[in-house]
Amino acid sequence: MSVLIEENPKRNKRAVKAKSEKLSSKKREGFKLAKVPQQPTDPDSEEIKRLEGWLVKCGIRKMWFRELAPYDTSKAKIRHLKEMLTEAGMTGRYSQEKATQIREERELKADIEAVQAGAKQWGRVSPDEEDGGRPRRKVAKGLQELDFLKDDDGEESD
């Protein structure tokens, strides 16, 4: 029996090194392109984003582009967002503690309203159950026509 042993061909070290350099240069270029280009930032738009963030921390979630659509200028948008914060209860200097307190109060109010709505519904009788006992099934239309057969008074009508 004969055994054939083949040796793998040796790779050219220069070719391997050149490929790795090309890959690493592409990776570097990719990282350069991944950086966000510096856009001129508007201080008013930054203020709007900051105020929206405070409202979210207070538990107020809205679609901001719809909420701010009626306002043309950024100053009007800022004024509206500040009014929303004061209506929510955030007055004076904004802080995380105030925001969490406001959010918890809002959640508690929502829970209480849900419980009260459930309490109003509790024990209410639906129109099918008003006569007492089990609710009865509605009679099919085809059987309503034959309903006169149930009334057996012993008399025949002509």
Side-chain angles (χ1 to χ4, degrees), residues 102-121:
I102 291 169
R103 185 184 71 238
E104 289 173 358
E105 287 175 6
R106 288 175 55 86
E107 290 173 355
L108 183 63
K109 281 183 185 177
D111 289 342
I112 290 171
E113 289 174 3
V115 168
Q116 288 175 346
K120 287 180 182 177
Q121 292 293 331

Side-chain angles (χ1 to χ4, degrees), residues 28-45:
R28 282 188 223 131
E29 289 176 9
F31 288 128
K32 288 179 185 176
L33 295 177
K35 289 184 181 178
V36 177
Q38 292 290 334
Q39 296 178 356
T41 57
D42 183 25
D44 289 339
S45 64

Side-chain angles (χ1 to χ4, degrees), residues 61-80:
R61 300 199 182 279
K62 298 204 179 232
M63 298 182 79
W64 298 114
F65 67 95
R66 287 187 183 162
E67 181 72 24
L68 300 176
Y71 303 101
D72 296 330
T73 63
S74 58
K75 296 289 184 188
K77 292 177 183 179
I78 291 171
R79 189 176 325 111
H80 176 68

